[in-house]
Amino acid sequence: MSKNITAIVPTRAGSERLKNKNIRPFADKSLLQIKIDILKVLIEKGHIQKIVVNTNCEKSMEIAYANNIEVVKRDEYYASSECPINEYWNEVLTNGVETEASMLCQVTSPLIKLETFEKCIINFNELGSPIMTVDYIKDYLWKVDKNKFYAVNYDYPNHPKSQDLEKFFFRINFGVVIITKSDLLKYKNIMTPKTHCIYLNREECIDIDDAIDFSLAESIYLKLLK
């Protein structure tokens, strides 16, 4: 049996780059509804205890209530750009959460599969460490220092094939995060020194930030349904 985990689905009103992206039509549903649907399956299978929608968006509240999902109304400060991200994480992952652990589930990652959620939860239970989904960045990376450019992950001017790069980097994508309250309090961050990373494939790691991301994710989502 899984540890007690509450799935937290955060949304907010007033998306800056893509208006109403969380609740606008997406494959005849909405990003929020799609996330709720997959989390309901996790409840049915005994992987999580409950779902909470944390939001200041009235429409998101309506969708949550229509699905018999608990709502935590977010204070406007925590939905604003004035709020430091660490304070936001602490608010979202603890407010209204009675379980020992929280699972952050961003609606802007609609292509994460049920199997991936299950893998994350199983690893969390077996390893006893926080979980974070990431994706590989295996490409030619450079940095600039005092107006001079340097190759980061290969020996310039040698130029290996990208698949042969000896070093690689990864990007935190926040698709799935599982962490206990004690670890969140201790490290004041959702990424900790003992976090176990779960690598997502190219489709699953798509994060919707703007209109192009939205259209791309919707197109892939519809193809996967066929």
Side-chain angles (χ1 to χ4, degrees):
M1 177 61 67
S2 299
K3 292 181 180 179
N4 291 331
I5 299 174
T6 297
I8 309 296
V9 187
T11 70
R12 73 183 182 100
S15 302
E16 295 179 1
R17 297 187 183 181
L18 182 60
K19 187 176 181 180
N20 298 324
K21 66 181 178 182
N22 301 318
I23 55 175
R24 67 191 298 172
F26 180 96
D28 295 327
K29 292 186 179 182
S30 67
L31 292 175
L32 176 55
Q33 185 62 58
I34 286 170
K35 191 62 63 175
I36 288 174
D37 288 346
I38 198 168
L39 293 177
K40 281 183 174 181
V41 178
L42 291 177
I43 286 183
E44 292 171 1
K45 300 183 76 169
H47 289 304
I48 60 176
Q49 182 169 316
K50 68 174 182 177
I51 306 166
V52 170
V53 171
N54 183 298
T55 188
N56 69 328
C57 171
E58 294 293 336
K59 182 61 178 178
S60 292
M61 294 180 196
E62 292 176 11
I63 294 172
Y65 290 138
N67 286 273
N68 296 314
I69 301 298
E70 182 178 332
V71 171
V72 170
K73 189 170 184 179
R74 193 185 313 168
D75 185 276
E76 290 301 323
Y77 169 73
Y78 294 107
S80 72
S81 57
E82 297 177 6
C83 178
I85 191 67
N86 299 67
E87 287 187 28
Y88 162 77
W89 286 330
N90 185 73
E91 156 67 16
V92 168
L93 293 172
T94 61
N95 191 353
V97 177
E98 299 176 356
T99 56
E100 62 180 299
S102 300
M103 182 169 69
L104 182 66
C105 306
Q106 306 278 18
V107 303
T108 50
S109 300
L111 299 174
I112 297 179
K113 300 175 182 176
L114 176 65
E115 308 91 85
T116 300
F117 276 105
E118 292 179 313
K119 180 179 180 180
C120 290
I121 293 169
I122 289 170
N123 274 269
F124 174 75
N125 289 320
E126 292 182 349
L127 299 174
S129 62
I131 298 296
M132 174 76 75
T133 54
V134 299
D135 51 274
Y136 287 108
I137 299 177
K138 199 167 185 181
D139 212 334
Y140 307 104
L141 302 178
W142 287 63
K143 68 177 181 179
V144 61
D145 183 24
K146 297 179 180 179
N147 294 322
K148 291 186 178 181
F149 291 84
Y150 302 89
V152 173
N153 60 339
Y154 67 102
D155 186 22
Y156 175 84
N158 295 321
H159 200 90
K161 296 178 180 178
S162 60
Q163 61 266 33
D164 295 330
L165 288 168
E166 293 184 2
K167 297 179 181 179
F168 67 87
F169 293 79
F170 65 85
R171 180 182 71 95
I172 298 172
N173 54 48
F174 305 103
V176 182
V177 179
I178 310 178
I179 190 169
T180 62
K181 291 180 181 178
S182 58
D183 279 332
L184 185 63
L185 179 64
K186 179 179 180 179
Y187 296 105
K188 302 185 187 306
N189 201 301
I190 56 176
M191 174 60 88
T192 79
K194 61 179 185 177
T195 292
H196 178 73
C197 294
I198 302 291
Y199 293 90
L200 300 184
N201 62 38
R202 193 170 182 180
E203 292 175 349
E204 289 184 292
C205 71
I206 292 176
D207 177 66
I208 297 175
D209 191 36
D210 55 29
I212 294 176
D213 297 332
F214 191 95
S215 296
L216 175 63
E218 185 176 38
S219 177
I220 295 174
Y221 183 87
L222 289 171
K223 287 182 179 178
L224 292 175
L225 290 179
K226 295 180 179 179

